Amino acid sequence: MIRAVVFDIDDTLVDFSGATGRGLLAHLATTRAVSPTDAERYVALWRHLEQIHFTAYLRGECTFTEQRRRRAREFCATAGFPLGPEESETDAWVARYLEHCDQAFTLFPDVLPALDTLRHAEVRLAAMSNSDRAYQHRKLTALGIRDRLEALVCCDDVDGVAKPDPRIFHAVCDRLGLAPAETVYVGDRLDSDARAAVAAGLTGVWLDRTGDGQADVPTITTLDQLVRLLPARTVRKGS
């Protein structure tokens, strides 16, 4: 029986990709005007570098802070934006970018209704992320949903273990005091979220907001569909 739902955070609960793209362009616009063509190119470059350097962080090759520095340095060098050689200058650049991102972060419209419905059904709620705990805690708090989540588990809570490793899925189940079979994990990535959850013994649900994909796991396009997916296998606490 299902007793808890654990959510991925970025691009599942929070419009991370949209916000970081808007945040980057707002940050760059403080330096010089950015044409629509350049805007598309800069966002694509930023996301490409994010994949490279964040993956290095997940492999334990650098800290969370250092992956941001590396990304900023390579972006500015490639795109032709001024950035001095001092680490303090890089950190200041990143801080200004993050300020713009903080202003752009939003929850997807289906998040609050889904959380309210699940909580009304007394389904326990948590979140798990391949990211830094302090960063995700601040983000979820600013968006008003951290206190709705019983547990938050991130890479730095489990010695850098990251999805799709089963150990991080088991860590959030342990935090809740539940067996994997009693837990659903829902996220926007088919392999590292849904399929990885299944491999770890949880019920994995893929949130495919585009509706374009096909998968061998339960698939939803909005979180309200998750609510309809669960009732037959869900019990109230204490029953």
Side-chain angles (χ1 to χ4, degrees):
M1 304 296 283
I2 300 301
R3 298 179 184 272
V5 174
V6 181
F7 295 93
D8 171 54
I9 297 173
D10 293 326
D11 290 325
T12 297
L13 298 176
V14 179
D15 182 9
F16 180 82
S17 294
T20 54
R22 293 189 298 271
L24 175 70
L25 295 177
H27 175 39
L28 298 180
T30 64
T31 303
R32 66 171 181 247
V34 177
S35 70
T37 300
D38 283 341
E40 184 176 352
R41 179 167 60 90
Y42 292 152
V43 171
L45 173 61
W46 186 247
R47 289 180 176 156
H48 172 68
L49 296 175
E50 177 183 48
Q51 181 67 26
I52 292 172
H53 295 294
F54 194 78
T55 299
Y57 158 69
L58 294 178
R59 289 197 300 259
E61 298 173 5
C62 61
T63 66
F64 189 74
T65 298
E66 182 59 27
Q67 62 87 20
R68 284 175 168 167
R69 290 173 179 152
R70 293 180 181 182
R71 196 188 338 161
R73 293 181 193 121
E74 188 169 351
F75 175 84
C76 289
T78 303
F81 283 84
L83 183 62
E86 298 298 324
E87 188 173 277
S88 59
E89 296 180 63
T90 303
D91 287 345
W93 192 99
V94 170
R96 292 191 296 271
Y97 157 72
L98 292 175
E99 288 176 2
H100 288 287
C101 288
D102 287 344
Q103 296 171 16
F105 282 130
T106 58
L107 298 173
F108 287 105
D110 55 357
V111 171
L112 292 179
L115 295 183
D116 286 342
T117 301
L118 288 168
R119 185 168 61 175
H120 181 72
E122 299 188 31
V123 176
R124 299 168 67 185
L125 305 174
M128 188 180 81
S129 175
N130 278 3
S131 189
D132 174 80
R133 162 179 267 278
Y135 172 64
Q136 295 292 35
H137 176 81
R138 286 194 301 272
K139 186 193 302 177
L140 294 175
T141 300
L143 292 171
I145 62 169
R146 177 63 188 91
D147 61 354
R148 297 175 181 235
L149 303 168
E150 183 177 337
L152 170 63
V153 173
C154 297
C155 294
D156 48 340
D157 292 315
V158 282
D159 297 324
V161 173
K163 298 177 291 184
D165 193 305
R167 288 175 292 175
I168 193 168
F169 291 94
H170 295 161
V172 74
C173 293
D174 290 345
R175 186 74 58 85
L176 293 168
L178 296 175
E182 298 176 294
T183 310
V184 167
Y185 186 79
V186 56
D188 67 293
R189 294 179 180 268
L190 176 57
D191 289 327
S192 59
D193 284 327
R195 285 176 175 157
V198 171
L202 292 76
T203 297
V205 176
W206 181 32
L207 176 60
D208 175 24
R209 290 192 179 277
T210 66
D212 294 332
Q214 293 183 332
D216 52 354
V217 296
T219 302
I220 56 177
T221 57
T222 65
L223 291 177
D224 64 316
Q225 294 170 346
L226 172 66
V227 174
R228 294 197 294 270
L229 184 69
L230 297 178
R233 294 184 293 169
T234 304
V235 298
R236 293 178 181 269
K237 291 184 290 187
S239 61

